[in-house]
Amino acid sequence: MIALQPDFCDIALPEGEHYSIEDYASSKARWCSGCGAHTILNSVQKLCNDKQLPPEKTVFVSGIGCSSRFPHYMKTYGFHGLHGRAFPVACGVKFRRPDLNVFVITGDGDCCSIGAGHWVHAIRYNMKMVVLLFDNAIYGLTKKQTSPTSPFGTVSNTHPAGSVLPPINPIQATLGLPNVSFVAQTVDWKPAHLNATLKKAFDHPGLAFVRIVQRCPIWMRDSYEPTVKDPDAITVLNHENGIVLDEKALKKFRHVNEHDPSDILKAREAAEMVKETTPIGLFYQNKEAIRYDEYGAHNLGTAVEDRIGAINSMMDRYAI
Ligand code: SF4
């Protein structure tokens, strides 16, 4: 596990000064040329700059995988942890330090396989954070093994004759969880939509789950190329309370469906659309869902004295 600490102290900017994009950029990203992770990194740095997030109040937590190198490329706090364990670390950070801006960076293997149990409970706990699922539908770092989101029949090192199980749809799965409060999908090659989605996610009061369909030109070119090239392959979910694009950006899409993100049943129907087309936009938002970090901020519903009293009486049981 690597906890990254940038070279700054906890000092507010002098009055009248502003952060620039360069204030969030760390070392040069070492992803492959053409990897979709590069555009996501640019978009996240743009979000930090647009929101003027103090780097010393911002933390990126990741697990293992190509995408999980992300915290190394941000000049903020970061935690590059264990495979599948980004969620519990991020929840711990948010619970103890509700003042921090917390982001989770996870991949399809990291989130939907080894980290699936943590994914379920993080959604249910609904602490305020932004979760970015970089979904390239393959284990890229370890050179092409089938992941839980690999399309049926994907040829890989683990399935040379093609994968034999239907993939998990992360949108559908997340929408089936209790206390889910924000589910959106975007693609890395449509920057206007990606930027608008990240902004909406950051403004959400609870856990914002964003699946980003991500290009991996090294191992999965055949998987995403049809979607990139075919203007009929994407359907935009549009609504005044959803991901709002300006008219010019919206006109670039041939298929636009009106979808009210307050309707979870319709959101689940929209998630099914993935068989015919890739839907992008805000599937569901509920700003009123219970947040465990708010509960924690009130000492889990008990006064500090009561908790100390409970510990003392427990200790007394073992005193001679
Ligand atoms: Fe990106 Fe694929 Fe290269 Fe990993 S293997 S860095 S996902 S292009």
Side-chain angles (χ1 to χ4, degrees), residues 30-32 35-37 66 136 140-141 214-219:
R30 285 164 55 193
W31 293 305
C32 308
C35 176
C66 291
N136 60 1
L141 188 69
Q214 186 220 315
R215 290 168 295 169
C216 172
I218 302 300
W219 308 118

Coordinates of all heavy atoms in Angstrom, one line a residue, residues 30-32 35-37 66 136 140-141 214-219, ligand 1:
R30 N 1.7 7.3 -17.0 CA 2.4 6.2 -17.7 C 1.5 5.2 -18.3 O 1.8 4.0 -18.5 CB 3.4 5.5 -16.7 CG 4.6 6.4 -16.5 CD 5.4 5.9 -15.3 NE 5.9 4.5 -15.4 CZ 6.3 3.9 -14.4 NH1 6.5 4.4 -13.2 NH2 6.7 2.6 -14.5
W31 N 0.3 5.6 -18.6 CA -0.7 4.7 -19.3 C -0.2 4.6 -20.7 O 0.4 5.5 -21.3 CB -2.1 5.2 -19.2 CG -2.7 5.1 -17.8 CD1 -2.8 4.0 -17.0 CD2 -3.2 6.2 -17.1 NE1 -3.3 4.4 -15.8 CE2 -3.7 5.7 -15.8 CE3 -3.5 7.6 -17.3 CZ2 -4.3 6.5 -14.8 CZ3 -4.1 8.4 -16.4 CH2 -4.5 7.8 -15.2
C32 N -0.7 3.6 -21.5 CA -0.4 3.4 -22.9 C -0.9 4.6 -23.7 O -1.9 5.2 -23.3 CB -1.0 2.1 -23.5 SG -0.6 0.7 -22.5
C35 N -4.8 5.3 -24.4 CA -5.6 4.8 -23.3 C -6.6 5.9 -22.8 O -6.3 7.0 -22.7 CB -4.7 4.4 -22.1 SG -5.7 3.8 -20.7
G36 N -7.9 5.4 -22.6 CA -8.9 6.3 -22.2 C -8.7 7.0 -20.9 O -9.3 8.0 -20.6
A37 N -7.8 6.4 -20.1 CA -7.6 6.9 -18.7 C -7.0 8.3 -18.8 O -7.2 9.1 -17.9 CB -6.6 6.0 -18.0
C66 N -4.7 -0.9 -13.9 CA -4.2 0.2 -14.7 C -4.7 1.5 -14.1 O -4.0 2.5 -13.9 CB -4.6 0.1 -16.2 SG -3.8 -1.2 -17.0
N136 N -12.8 -0.9 -18.6 CA -12.3 -1.3 -19.9 C -12.6 -2.7 -20.3 O -12.1 -3.2 -21.3 CB -10.8 -1.0 -20.0 CG -10.0 -1.8 -19.0 OD1 -10.6 -2.6 -18.2 ND2 -8.7 -1.6 -18.9
G140 N -6.2 -5.3 -17.7 CA -5.2 -4.8 -18.6 C -3.8 -4.9 -18.1 O -2.9 -5.3 -18.8
L141 N -3.7 -4.6 -16.8 CA -2.4 -4.5 -16.2 C -1.6 -5.9 -16.2 O -0.4 -5.9 -16.4 CB -2.5 -4.0 -14.7 CG -1.2 -3.7 -14.0 CD1 -0.6 -2.5 -14.5 CD2 -1.5 -3.5 -12.5
Q214 N -14.3 2.8 -20.8 CA -13.0 3.3 -21.1 C -12.3 2.5 -22.2 O -12.3 1.3 -22.2 CB -12.2 3.2 -19.8 CG -10.8 3.8 -19.9 CD -9.8 3.0 -19.1 OE1 -10.0 2.6 -18.0 NE2 -8.6 2.8 -19.7
R215 N -11.6 3.2 -23.1 CA -10.9 2.5 -24.2 C -9.6 1.9 -23.6 O -8.8 2.6 -22.9 CB -10.5 3.6 -25.3 CG -11.7 4.1 -26.1 CD -11.3 5.2 -26.9 NE -10.9 6.4 -26.0 CZ -10.3 7.5 -26.5 NH1 -10.1 7.6 -27.8 NH2 -10.0 8.5 -25.7
C216 N -9.4 0.7 -24.0 CA -8.1 0.0 -23.8 C -7.6 -0.4 -25.2 O -8.0 -1.5 -25.6 CB -8.2 -1.2 -22.9 SG -6.7 -2.1 -22.8
P217 N -6.9 0.4 -25.9 CA -6.5 0.1 -27.3 C -5.5 -1.1 -27.3 O -5.3 -1.6 -28.4 CB -5.8 1.4 -27.8 CG -5.4 2.1 -26.6 CD -6.4 1.7 -25.5
I218 N -4.9 -1.5 -26.2 CA -3.9 -2.6 -26.3 C -4.6 -3.9 -26.3 O -4.3 -4.8 -27.1 CB -3.0 -2.5 -25.0 CG1 -2.3 -1.2 -25.0 CG2 -2.0 -3.7 -25.0 CD1 -1.4 -0.9 -26.2
W219 N -5.6 -4.1 -25.5 CA -6.3 -5.4 -25.4 C -7.7 -5.5 -25.8 O -8.2 -6.6 -26.1 CB -6.2 -5.9 -23.9 CG -4.9 -5.9 -23.2 CD1 -4.5 -5.1 -22.1 CD2 -3.7 -6.6 -23.6 NE1 -3.2 -5.3 -21.8 CE2 -2.7 -6.2 -22.7 CE3 -3.4 -7.5 -24.6 CZ2 -1.4 -6.7 -22.8 CZ3 -2.1 -8.0 -24.7 CH2 -1.1 -7.6 -23.8
Ligands
SF4_1 FE1 -4.8 1.7 -20.7 FE2 -5.1 -0.8 -21.6 FE3 -2.7 0.2 -21.5 FE4 -4.0 -0.4 -19.3 S1 -3.3 -1.9 -20.9 S2 -2.8 1.5 -19.6 S3 -6.1 0.1 -19.8 S4 -4.4 0.9 -22.8

